[in-house]
Amino acid sequence: FYNLIINKTSADQIQATSPVPFVPREYEPPVDLPLANSIILNGNTIINGNLTIQNGSLSAGNYTINIAGNWDNQVGLLAFSEGTSTVIFNGATGSDILSSETFYNLEVNKTHPSFEDLELFYDVACNNLDILNGTIEINNPANLFIDGNLNIALGAGLNANDYFGLHVQVAGNWTNSNSMHDFYQGFDPGYSTVSINGSTDQTLTTSAPSEEF
């Protein structure tokens, strides 16, 4: 696809075969989404532009969604069923998440030379977060909830410096392969609050002399 707009109102379902307050994942009530008005992925999907959910729902299963543009879920959290999928923001331009969203695995792999490769404008939750190339910028009033592991690769970055009281929660291991931080690499804490709150032992690994929070 280039841009994908989901705007389904009829009671059917489509299987795609191409290769509201925010509630953190652990507090989401179990919900069986109706099959009507749904798009159910049956393979990996490449979106070279934007994904917009205006009506209906998208069920990702265990597949991978590569997206180069913006993500905008205008219906609400239940309109995207993440399953055990991986959503990868890639490409040579910046991307925005324009709605609260829960992902399973979330990956950033951008070739866009900016500290705003992926901007969060609302609360985002995920299982594992891998920032392989590029930088995530968390804007007011967004927060970031990670139920699994956080990995910031060498040369990649996570900016939590936008406003006082910004909250980053990590329930798994923390790995930062950068020896320092600025707008483009490492973890820039600003005045954020970081919660390390997993129910089992967690490890914090950094290439810096010390990790700043």
Side-chain angles (χ1 to χ4, degrees):
F1 303 100
Y2 186 74
N3 293 320
L4 176 59
I5 298 175
I6 300 173
N7 190 3
K8 289 180 59 59
T9 56
S10 59
D12 61 353
Q13 46 180 316
I14 292 178
Q15 291 193 340
T17 57
S18 58
V20 138
F22 176 77
V23 182
R25 173 191 302 273
E26 60 267 36
Y27 301 117
E28 285 187 38
V31 173
D32 292 325
L33 290 177
L35 294 180
N37 306 330
S38 298
I39 290 181
I40 302 172
L41 296 186
N42 196 28
N44 298 330
T45 301
I46 297 173
I47 303 171
N48 292 316
N50 303 322
L51 169 65
T52 304
I53 305 176
Q54 295 178 341
N55 284 294
S57 62
L58 172 63
S59 180
N62 62 349
Y63 296 106
T64 297
I65 300 174
N66 289 274
I67 178 169
N70 300 330
W71 183 290
D72 188 6
N73 180 354
Q74 299 174 5
V75 180
L77 288 173
L78 296 181
F80 176 63
S81 179
E82 72 274 14
T84 56
S85 64
T86 298
V87 173
I88 301 173
F89 284 88
N90 55 13
T93 59
S95 296
D96 299 334
I97 297 179
L98 299 170
S99 54
S100 293
E101 193 59 271
T102 298
F103 302 96
Y104 190 72
N105 292 323
L106 180 60
E107 181 179 312
V108 178
N109 197 353
K110 288 282 191 179
T111 57
H112 179 239
S114 170
F115 65 90
E116 298 174 333
D117 294 301
L118 177 61
E119 293 193 75
L120 312 185
F121 288 92
Y122 295 89
D123 290 349
V124 169
C126 62
N127 182 43
N128 296 313
L129 173 59
D130 286 298
I131 311 174
L132 302 181
N133 286 289
T135 302
I136 292 179
E137 175 77 12
I138 307 174
N139 294 301
N140 189 8
N143 300 283
L144 179 61
F145 302 90
I146 305 169
D147 288 350
N149 301 323
L150 168 64
N151 174 42
I152 307 174
L154 180 64
L158 174 61
N159 289 332
N161 57 6
D162 200 59
Y163 69 97
F164 184 85
L166 188 157
H167 188 198
V168 177
Q169 173 182 300
V170 180
N173 298 327
W174 177 296
T175 303
N176 180 4
S177 298
N178 297 275
S179 61
M180 50 87 73
H181 71 77
D182 56 22
F183 289 143
Y184 298 92
Q185 60 185 317
F187 175 66
D188 189 342
Y191 294 99
S192 65
T193 297
V194 175
S195 298
I196 306 294
N197 67 340
S199 59
T200 60
D201 291 344
Q202 297 172 250
T203 62
L204 191 155
T205 304
T206 181
S207 295
S210 60
E211 191 78 334
E212 294 184 29
F213 297 104

